[in-house]
C-alpha cells in the first residue's frame, strides 16, 4: 500500500492501451514512421519501468489533413480528437503532428476526463520522436513528459520555491524551468540539494532526463485511482 495526503490505496500494475494517431499533411508527408512509433513506445516503457504503468500499442491511425497537421490547439484540436479518439478512460491517445509556434506538445490531465472525455490525450510534435529533427528534443521524451501530465504530474518547477510546488515531496523545489543539462543548478537554496534537472517533468534536454521519483509514482497512482 502507498499513501498520499493520508489517503491509502493499492499499487496495481496497469497496462495502458495506446492509440497512436499519425497526422500528416493532405499530400501524405510529415508523419511518423512505424519504426519511430515503435521506438517511441520503447522509450515510454523504459521511462515508466520503475512505476506500476506500462504501455502497449493497440492501434495506429493515419490521417492526411492540413488543418490537423499544423494544429496547435483550438477548433482544429476539437475536430481532430472528436473524429479520432478511441478507447475508454484508461486509453492513451497520442496525436503526432507538425504543430507550430515552437511547441513540442501538450496534454490533458486525468481530472478533466469526466467532463471532456473526447479531448483526453496528448499531442506531440512528430519531429520529437526518436530520430526526429527536433534536437535536442528528439529522443522521445517529449512523449514521456506529456504522458507524465496525462498521468497527473505537474512540472517540477510548478509553484517555484514554495513548499508544495508540484505536490510531490521528493522532487526538489525549482524556481524556473531548466534547459540543456545544467548539473550544478540550484535555484531554491532554502531547499537542500540541486534542481531536479534529470526529472522527466523538467524542460531539460532529452539526453539529460532519466527519472520519475517514487513520490511521482505515488501521485500517478492516486490520480489514476481517482479519475481513471
Amino acid at each position: 500500500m502507498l499513501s498520499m495526503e493520508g489517503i491509502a490505496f493499492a499499487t496495481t500494475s496497469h497496462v495502458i492501451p495506446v492509440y497512436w494517431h499519425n497526422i500528416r499533411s493532405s499530400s501524405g508527408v510529415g508523419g511518423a514512421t512505424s519504426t519511430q512509433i515503435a521506438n517511441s513506445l520503447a522509450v515510454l516503457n523504459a521511462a515508466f519501468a520503475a512505476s506500476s504503468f506500462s504501455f502497449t500499442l493497440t492501434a495506429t491511425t493515419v490521417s492526411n489533413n492540413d488543418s490537423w497537421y499544423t494544429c496547435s490547439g483550438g477548433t482544429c484540436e476539437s475536430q481532430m480528437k472528436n473524429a479520432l479518439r478511441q478507447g475508454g478512460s484508461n486509453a492513451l491517445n497520442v496525436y503526432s503532428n507538425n504543430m507550430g509556434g515552437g511547441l513540442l506538445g501538450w496534454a490533458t490531465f486525468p481530472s478533466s476526463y469526466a467532463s471532456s472525455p473526447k479531448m483526453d490525450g496528448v499531442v506531440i510534435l512528430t519531429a520529437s520522436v526518436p530520430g526526429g529533427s527536433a534536437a535536442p528534443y528528439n529522443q522521445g521524451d517529449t512523449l514521456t513528459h506529456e504522458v507524465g501530465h496525462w498521468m497527473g504530474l505537474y512540472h517540477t518547477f510548478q509553484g517555484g520555491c514554495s513548499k508544495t510546488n508540484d505536490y510531490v515531496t521528493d522532487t526538489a523545489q525549482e524556481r524556473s524551468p531548466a534547459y540543456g543539462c545544467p548539473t550544478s543548478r540550484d535555484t531554491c537554496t532554502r531547499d537542500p540539494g540541486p534542481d531536479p534537472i534529470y526529472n522527466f517533468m523538467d524542460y531539460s534536454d532529452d539526453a539529460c532526463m532519466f527519472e520519475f521519483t517514487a513520490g511521482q509514482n505515488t501521485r500517478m497512482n492516486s490520480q489514476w485511482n481517482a479519475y481513471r
Side-chain angles (χ1 to χ4, degrees), residues 13-19 44 53-58 85-94 110 113-114 117 120-121 147 150-151 223-225 227-228:
S13 295
H14 300 282
V15 179
I16 298 173
V18 177
Y19 297 88
L44 189 63
F53 300 94
S54 61
F55 304 85
T56 183
L57 185 64
T58 300
R85 193 188 184 282
Q86 299 181 52
S89 61
N90 70 321
L92 171 62
N93 280 254
V94 178
Y113 179 81
D120 185 69
V147 171
W150 184 79
M151 298 292 294
Q223 293 280 300
W224 185 273
N225 289 347
Y227 300 112
R228 297 196 184 280

Side-chain angles (χ1 to χ4, degrees), residues 97-112:
N97 74 356
N98 190 35
M99 66 187 70
L103 295 173
L104 287 169
W106 69 89
T108 59
F109 283 89
S111 55
S112 299

Side-chain angles (χ1 to χ4, degrees), residues 161-228:
C161 297
S162 66
K163 288 184 179 180
T164 54
N165 63 330
D166 62 348
Y167 302 101
V168 176
T169 58
D170 64 354
T171 55
Q173 296 167 16
E174 186 177 28
R175 187 176 300 277
S176 59
Y179 297 94
C181 196
T183 54
S184 60
R185 189 175 192 257
D186 185 6
T187 57
C188 296
T189 55
R190 290 180 299 175
D191 183 40
D195 288 353
I197 65 165
Y198 303 117
N199 198 281
F200 290 117
M201 300 314 294
D202 207 339
Y203 277 1
S204 310
D205 292 354
D206 279 13
C208 188
M209 296 178 174
F210 62 80
E211 66 178 0
F212 289 116
T213 67
Q216 286 175 317
N217 187 40
T218 297
R219 180 173 173 82
M220 287 189 285
N221 273 276
S222 174
Q223 293 280 300
W224 185 273
N225 289 347
Y227 300 112
R228 297 196 184 280

